[in-house]
Amino acid sequence: MEKHEKEKKKLGLSTKIFIALLTGAVCGVLIHYYMPEGYFRDTILINGILYVLGNGFIRLMQMLVVPLVFCSLVCGAMAIGDTKTLGTVGVKTILFYLCTTALAICVALGIASLINPGVGLNIALPEDATEVATTQVDFAETLLNIIPKNIFTSLSTGDMLPIIFFALFVGILLAAMGNRVSTVANFFSQFNDIMMEMTIAVMKAAPVGVFCLIAKTFAGIGFDAFVPMLKYMGSVILALAVQCFVVYQVMLFVFTRLNPFKFIKKFFPVMTFAFSTSTSNATIPLSIDTLYKKIGVSKQISSFTIPLGATINMDGTSIMQGVAVVFIAQAYGIPLTPAAIATVIATATIASIGTAGVPSVGLVTLSMVLTSVGLPTEGIALIMGIDRILDMLRTAVNITGDAVCTTIVAKQQGAFNENTFRADN
Ligand code: ASP
């Protein structure tokens, strides 16, 4: 009996969220088909309990966005500031990271537009979103708005682009000014730690939030919601697979002539680790070690590029965000103009820089991408339930992207040992 209880306690968060997802879907379908309409079902249960608990969880996530992105960008920029010491390696790595991320979003947008995961959901647009969705964006103003007139106004309204601009500026100066500002630098990195802890704490409420959000969705739509959700998952998984096994491997072969199959075989244990922990940050040591011992990348390069990649290069995350944008736009029946698509590519690349390498942060920064093109952030509720599984897969892709770019840069810098790569270790 005691043993049984212990086993119960051991259930990890991902398992709990997955159970919440399934039970939420089942309860929602049962409510939709078997519970008689009326005050109790509609007002108390669906729009009362399920709505408050589900949206309460979304609010908790939204609460994290501004401070989390701000601190994580300041810290990321501080790391980039150090690239001076590494000269060309830094510039090359950052360029590779940015290009692979933009490419990843294009793969995601392409696949999502082919599969059309959100078509058929027909969800009513929240009232306040209608205006934003149809507002024409003036390019010159958008560009100017990147520079905040008053950073505190931007912070309080959650206006992401000026926040990012200011955060990057602060981070670069912190790195440049060194010891003189070590107190402030420490403040930001410690505040960053607090935000990560807060994210972990908020995620503990995820099973309840997910259960309520999914139950509410299915209670409203019944079985009709299943197919679009599966299509969304399929699109993300397909895009992740294309990025990991086609884009990266072609890049690896073109730039280094190394055997991509051998690379995947040797790097696979690191991917499995990232998959099971859903955190790029925790994978850093194993990644550096594997790249050194099995693939032949000098630690001088990887000890800089891998932590940097875990902070700013999240190709898997931006794939999820690209597909999610298409899915949510289709679910709410909002067409995506070419200008909106260009904005998505730009903001999702920036969001990838601002996403910390810990579980579920990609979902938090997704709201920034959605807002940039006037899509309702409420749409996140639709995909939150299945995100935990996708988080595992995209984290594996995130760290593979870092490793491939690192290997290419190391090979070009002559910091690569061919014999280690060839050996069957
Ligand atoms: N879990 C991801 C990572 O650590 C970040 C995310 O997409 O939520 O790389």
Side-chain angles (χ1 to χ4, degrees), residues 177-221:
M177 292 167 75
N179 277 346
R180 260 199 298 158
V181 287
S182 57
T183 315
V184 179
N186 281 340
F187 168 80
F188 277 115
S189 59
Q190 287 174 6
F191 201 75
N192 199 23
D193 288 348
I194 295 179
M195 290 319 298
M196 292 205 188
E197 282 297 320
M198 204 183 270
T199 308
I200 293 167
V202 167
M203 284 315 289
K204 292 216 171 106
V208 178
V210 164
F211 175 87
C212 295
L213 291 166
I214 291 293
K216 185 172 180 292
T217 309
F218 281 87
I221 322 179

Side-chain angles (χ1 to χ4, degrees), residues 333-345:
I334 302 168
L336 284 174
T337 59
I341 290 175
T343 312
V344 170
I345 297 175

